Amino acid sequence: MSSRSSNPLARMHQPLQRWLPASLLGRLTLVMVAGVLVTQLAASAIWASQLRAKSQVEAQSSAQYVAHSAAGAIRFFRSLPPAYRLLIIQQLREMGGTRFFVNLNHAYVPIEQIAPHPLAQSVIATVDATLRSDLPHSPGFRLAFARPDRLVVAEHDVRLDDLPNAWVQHVLLLKPDPAPILVIQTEIEPGNWLYMAALMPNPYFLDSSDPFAWDRLMPQILSLAVVLLLCLLVVRSITRPLAALSDAASALGQGHDDEARPLPETGSREFINTARAFSAMRERIGRYIDDRERLFISISHDLRTPITRLKLRAELLDDEALRDEFEEDLDELDMMVKGALQCVKDSDIHENPTEIKLDTMLGRMVRSAELAGHAVAWQPSGVTVRGKPLALKRALGNLLDNALFYGARAEISVRQEPGWVLICLRDHGPGVPDEAFASLFDPYVRLAHGREQNDGGMGLGLGIARGVIEAHGGRLVLSNHPEGGLNAVVRLPAV
């Protein structure tokens, strides 16, 4: 039941893992950038809603003020005799005008309206409702917002640009940025239409209600850029010491500790403690390896002397059968000492890494095998890897020897994958039972057919090969080939 319930969660996490960066720097940067962006967007959304609400209230108040003024002007012109209306309008223009630009037409003048805008529509609705409330007996009102450069003010397509500047520059025109103009037209009597145009108390109310205007976005963008830059610098300062620690650990694991630089004890207190602990561990491991090598060399040297003495004394025995048994036991003991020393030395060869041409190395191994009478199929690949030549040759040589001892003939192939070089060595022997793979790399473990084919071996070759390959940052994988035999795949980092 629990495994079934966890499967959907695992399926949900798989797409997320594909999108997440692999490095800690990338993940911390992504999290911090996403957090800043989400916070900024949330704050901007709240601020935008408050700005729109404030702009709506201000626009409604301004619309009612303009509507009341327009209603008073309409009553005034309705109260005048028709013959006096043009005279009054002319006098108002010569005096500099009033709040409204006023004109009389014999019919409704079509207006080219601005693009639809919710706040403009709200203002028009409020002005219309207020006018109808103040002038309940009026036949109706035609309202619209228009741009100054396209505004028609009189019959016969007379535009605002055609009028003298003195008539309109203080009433309708704002420089250098013109604002939308509210136009109110109503029929005060049959055949006479009153045309009134005016700016809103806040002429730029449409722009002030837009939270995404450029002058408002620019400070937010600059502040966001500064915060993101600081986040990147902080994340970089945190992850740089971790990258140094990772490189040092990788060098230690691959046996390149001599080339590794000391970890800098800078940064946070936690990293300084970690760097000190790692440096102390690296020193202890170095001392342990040196002590282990000296110990095995000493043991080998100390044991060879008594073994040699025992062999000489065994030659003095008169009983030939007993002498043969002694010599056989001494040879076995000598072989065990040599094998243990070889196991230690072969897994810790002190060489400088260099560029290795696999064609040259594998070609020599193949020619040596062919001279010994073995059949090896191989094709040059032109691939180069970086590593310790003698150690890598010993590892590949052990794998090839196993393939030839236990499989009669072998095949070697080299191919490249993204970031990796694959060296495949396949034999044509009986393969390995599935239950034996778990212990195949253990020292002194040999399968039955292995003991029959190579009675002089000690079962150390695979363990040594795996240790060398892993020290190069690679991996050794053993599996039975579908067509028979054992297939050994060596994965090494590409140059």
Side-chain angles (χ1 to χ4, degrees), residues 300 304 333-343 458 460:
S300 174
R304 288 190 181 200
L333 179 60
D334 189 24
M335 185 67 67
M336 292 176 62
V337 172
K338 291 180 180 179
L341 185 61
Q342 181 187 15
C343 181
M458 293 177 290
L460 300 173

Side-chain angles (χ1 to χ4, degrees), residues 10 13 37-38 91 114 119 140 148 209 253 258 260 282 287 320-321 326 340 384 390 402 413 418 451 462:
H13 284 299
L37 288 177
V38 170
Q91 289 178 348
I114 63 174
L119 192 57
S209 66
D258 295 338
R282 181 165 57 183
R287 290 196 300 269
E320 183 176 354
F326 267 104
T384 301
L390 293 179
N402 283 349
S413 62
R451 290 191 295 269
L462 288 179

Side-chain angles (χ1 to χ4, degrees), residues 36-341:
V36 171
L37 288 177
V38 170
T39 304
Q40 187 77 14
L41 289 176
S44 298
I46 296 173
W47 174 74
S49 64
Q50 293 177 347
L51 178 63
R52 290 192 181 98
K54 179 181 178 181
S55 299
Q56 183 72 24
V57 173
E58 293 178 351
Q60 294 293 325
S61 177
S62 299
Q64 291 176 358
Y65 170 76
V66 171
H68 289 311
S69 300
I74 293 173
R75 292 194 194 97
F76 173 73
F77 281 100
R78 277 182 177 174
S79 66
L80 292 175
Y84 288 93
R85 291 171 183 165
L86 290 176
L87 180 61
I88 296 298
I89 292 174
Q90 184 65 28
Q91 289 178 348
L92 291 175
R93 291 173 180 172
E94 292 177 356
M95 292 171 58
T98 60
R99 176 171 184 77
F100 294 94
F101 168 80
V102 184
N103 195 24
L104 289 173
N105 298 300
H106 295 96
Y108 167 73
V109 177
I111 302 298
E112 183 178 352
Q113 302 187 34
I114 63 174
H117 193 285
L119 192 57
Q121 298 297 327
S122 174
V123 168
I124 289 176
T126 302
V127 172
D128 183 71
T130 305
L131 288 174
R132 291 181 184 275
S133 175
D134 292 350
L135 303 171
H137 302 294
S138 295
F141 304 93
R142 301 287 185 90
L143 308 176
F145 276 103
R147 293 292 176 186
D149 56 343
R150 299 183 180 182
L151 179 60
V152 179
V153 298
E155 299 169 310
H156 310 297
D157 199 29
V158 178
R159 295 180 177 269
L160 184 63
D161 296 339
D162 301 330
L163 301 178
N165 288 335
W167 291 8
V168 295
Q169 63 180 352
H170 300 298
V171 179
L172 300 181
L173 293 182
L174 295 177
K175 295 181 180 181
D177 187 12
I181 298 173
L182 175 64
V183 178
I184 303 174
Q185 298 185 68
T186 184
E187 191 176 22
I188 56 178
E189 56 194 34
N192 288 324
W193 283 74
L194 183 65
Y195 180 104
M196 294 186 300
L199 295 171
M200 294 294 293
N202 177 13
Y204 303 106
F205 72 102
L206 295 181
D207 295 334
S208 62
S209 66
D210 184 10
F212 302 105
W214 180 248
D215 58 341
R216 294 181 175 176
L217 284 179
M218 179 56 69
Q220 297 186 23
I221 292 174
L222 291 177
S223 62
L224 179 62
V226 171
V227 171
L228 292 180
L229 179 61
L230 293 177
C231 289
L232 291 177
L233 294 177
V234 170
V235 171
R236 182 62 179 169
S237 66
I238 294 174
T239 56
R240 185 184 291 113
L242 295 179
L245 178 61
S246 175
D247 294 340
S250 178
L252 178 62
Q254 297 180 13
H256 304 162
D257 193 46
D258 295 338
E259 304 176 4
R261 298 179 180 178
L263 283 177
E265 296 183 2
T266 58
S268 63
R269 179 179 59 187
E270 291 79 6
F271 177 77
I272 293 175
N273 294 336
T274 303
R276 291 174 178 172
F278 180 83
S279 299
M281 180 191 68
R282 181 165 57 183
E283 293 177 1
R284 289 196 299 270
I285 292 177
R287 290 196 300 269
Y288 166 75
I289 293 176
D290 294 340
D291 293 343
R292 185 190 66 168
E293 186 174 352
R294 286 194 297 268
L295 174 63
F296 273 85
I297 292 174
S298 300
I299 293 175
S300 174
H301 179 270
D302 294 342
L303 287 178
R304 288 190 181 200
T305 300
I307 290 175
T308 302
R309 289 200 304 265
L310 289 174
K311 285 184 177 181
L312 293 176
R313 292 175 182 176
E315 293 292 336
L316 302 177
L317 294 176
D318 296 331
D319 189 341
E320 183 176 354
L322 182 60
R323 184 172 64 248
D324 292 340
E325 290 180 0
F326 267 104
E327 290 179 352
E328 183 178 352
D329 290 340
L330 292 173
D331 289 340
E332 183 178 354
L333 179 60
D334 189 24
M335 185 67 67
M336 292 176 62
V337 172
K338 291 180 180 179
L341 185 61

